[in-house]
Amino acid sequence: MSWVNVTIQNRTYAVRTRRLGHGPTQLFCVQGGPGGLYWDLNFLAIYLDMSRYEIIQYDPLGSKPSPCFWPDEECYADRSWMTVEGFVSTMDQVHQALEVSSNAVIVAHSFGVVCTLEFLLRWPSRVRGAVLSDWVASQTQAAARLHWCDQTGWTMCRAYKPSLEEPWRKHGNNNHILGHVIWGPHGNGSGGLLETWDVRSKLHMLQHIPTLTFAGDYDIIFATDALAMSQALQGDYVHLSDAGHFSFVDRRSDWLAAFEQWVDQIPVTRGINFPSKSSLQVGSVLCPVAIFFSVIFGICFSVFKKRPTQLQAPLLVSGCSS
């Protein structure tokens, strides 16, 4: 664990970071919120093989114990740092200060996807690939789903199953003004800084970067919108049935299996020729499993012949759940 100085609007703050593991594959994690703690993605450090991975995380401004969390701090109510640009700049500065490799994979969740897409549009050569979990490329799309969740009484939307809550999860440890500034008074983006955020028209600029998108049935974004984002990126996509906004909580084993399958098949060295878009296949372990169950249950299983490939976690073929 260490503290890294970042400068936002001509003011310098020290934010908390941590790195663990000693594997060759670096994972640079960007959690949601904004103001979420790095504990949100702590499952990676718990369940992945740390001899294969090195995990790098940070708590941005507004996240305990980084600055601007405590109400008696001068910056607590200072809205000058509460911008998408400010969070992307923090991501950039931490990435540089910790000397994160350009072969690192960014793992982003929720608002972290917003920051990651903006980061990639600015510095596309600084990443090997990106995981985009449970968010979309347009706040209009996200707001439509939230409206639908409200209309249906949230019976089909959730963060995760309470029975599966991880013991390390932290609640309420962020700046309470921050959420209102970014998401607006209703929490759906309306009246907030994200209200007009939309990068759908720019996604084609990132098609050379390997991406893996996750979404669940009970997510707070429409899975169809996440799939459309993946298609525009020419990336890979995993749909997790019976999963909420924290899809990696509700379907952890399947999320991790799909992630590890994907990360093993993307190029390690930037600048080499990427695999042909027509050559990407679902992994050798998953295909026999899917075919076996399709024979037994009469389920149709398709291997997508060109990107976006819809990766299937083990036993997660259509009509089947683990």
Side-chain angles (χ1 to χ4, degrees), residues 1 51 58 80 97 116 120 150 176-177 184 214 268 277 316:
M1 189 175 297
S51 68
Y58 67 99
S80 65
T116 296
L120 296 178
D150 288 337
H176 298 300
I177 297 175
F214 287 95
V268 173
K277 292 175 184 176
L316 195 59

Side-chain angles (χ1 to χ4, degrees), residues 32-90:
L37 307 187
Y38 62 54
W39 294 106
D40 284 355
L41 297 176
N42 190 55
F43 77 104
L44 296 168
I46 299 296
Y47 298 107
L48 290 178
D49 181 354
M50 289 295 94
S51 68
R52 293 188 59 200
Y53 298 96
E54 181 185 19
I55 295 178
I56 302 169
Q57 298 175 278
Y58 67 99
D59 284 330
L61 298 184
S63 302
K64 183 181 180 181
S66 289
C68 310
F69 161 75
W70 302 101
D72 59 352
E73 291 182 89
E74 182 182 350
C75 62
Y76 180 82
D78 178 7
R79 302 189 178 202
S80 65
W81 59 267
M82 300 180 189
T83 64
V84 173
E85 183 61 39
F87 280 93
V88 176
S89 178
T90 298

Side-chain angles (χ1 to χ4, degrees), residues 167-243:
W168 53 81
R169 187 159 301 284
K170 310 288 184 179
H171 297 283
N173 289 305
N174 57 1
N175 183 310
H176 298 300
I177 297 175
L178 177 59
H180 290 287
V181 172
I182 299 295
W183 298 110
H186 307 292
N188 63 358
S190 178
L193 292 180
L194 278 180
E195 183 171 14
T196 60
W197 182 80
D198 191 333
V199 295
R200 285 176 291 181
S201 64
K202 301 177 182 178
L203 295 178
H204 68 279
M205 300 165 61
L206 305 177
Q207 289 176 355
H208 65 288
I209 299 173
T211 55
L212 174 62
T213 300
F214 287 95
D217 288 340
Y218 290 81
D219 216 323
I220 62 171
I221 48 102
F222 284 117
T224 51
D225 291 335
L227 175 58
M229 177 178 71
S230 180
Q231 290 172 332
L233 290 166
Q234 295 190 351
D236 298 316
Y237 174 77
V238 174
H239 180 85
L240 295 170
S241 63
D242 196 27

Side-chain angles (χ1 to χ4, degrees), residues 81-310:
W81 59 267
M82 300 180 189
T83 64
V84 173
E85 183 61 39
F87 280 93
V88 176
S89 178
T90 298
M91 183 179 173
D92 164 41
Q93 292 179 64
V94 171
H95 194 281
Q96 291 190 60
L98 297 182
E99 299 181 340
V100 179
S101 168
S102 60
N103 274 317
V105 172
I106 295 177
V107 180
H109 175 246
S110 193
F111 179 75
V113 173
V114 173
C115 297
T116 296
L117 290 174
E118 294 286 351
F119 180 93
L120 296 178
L121 287 167
R122 290 162 173 77
W123 305 287
S125 64
R126 291 169 60 186
V127 65
R128 173 184 168 196
V131 176
L132 310 172
S133 191
D134 306 296
W135 205 248
V136 289
S138 164
Q139 183 56 36
T140 299
Q141 292 176 321
R145 172 68 171 188
L146 288 169
H147 176 72
W148 183 86
C149 292
D150 288 337
Q151 294 294 98
T152 56
W154 286 82
T155 57
M156 292 294 293
C157 307
R158 65 169 182 259
Y160 49 81
K161 293 179 180 177
S163 61
L164 298 178
E165 182 170 79
E166 299 154 324
W168 53 81
R169 187 159 301 284
K170 310 288 184 179
H171 297 283
N173 289 305
N174 57 1
N175 183 310
H176 298 300
I177 297 175
L178 177 59
H180 290 287
V181 172
I182 299 295
W183 298 110
H186 307 292
N188 63 358
S190 178
L193 292 180
L194 278 180
E195 183 171 14
T196 60
W197 182 80
D198 191 333
V199 295
R200 285 176 291 181
S201 64
K202 301 177 182 178
L203 295 178
H204 68 279
M205 300 165 61
L206 305 177
Q207 289 176 355
H208 65 288
I209 299 173
T211 55
L212 174 62
T213 300
F214 287 95
D217 288 340
Y218 290 81
D219 216 323
I220 62 171
I221 48 102
F222 284 117
T224 51
D225 291 335
L227 175 58
M229 177 178 71
S230 180
Q231 290 172 332
L233 290 166
Q234 295 190 351
D236 298 316
Y237 174 77
V238 174
H239 180 85
L240 295 170
S241 63
D242 196 27
H245 186 51
F246 288 73
S247 59
F248 46 82
V249 174
D250 283 342
R251 301 297 300 273
R252 184 187 68 236
S253 295
D254 293 320
W255 195 104
L256 287 170
F259 164 75
E260 293 207 84
Q261 176 202 326
W262 173 81
V263 82
D264 284 344
Q265 67 186 12
I266 63 175
V268 173
T269 304
R270 299 289 296 165
I272 68 172
N273 292 326
F274 288 93
S276 166
K277 292 175 184 176
S278 62
S279 68
L280 189 60
Q281 301 275 329
V282 174
S284 58
V285 175
L286 302 187
C287 280
V289 172
I291 293 171
F292 175 76
F293 280 96
S294 69
V295 171
I296 293 179
F297 298 109
I299 298 170
C300 179
F301 175 78
S302 297
V303 175
F304 286 67
K305 293 298 183 181
K306 56 184 176 180
R307 287 178 178 260
T309 301
Q310 186 165 346

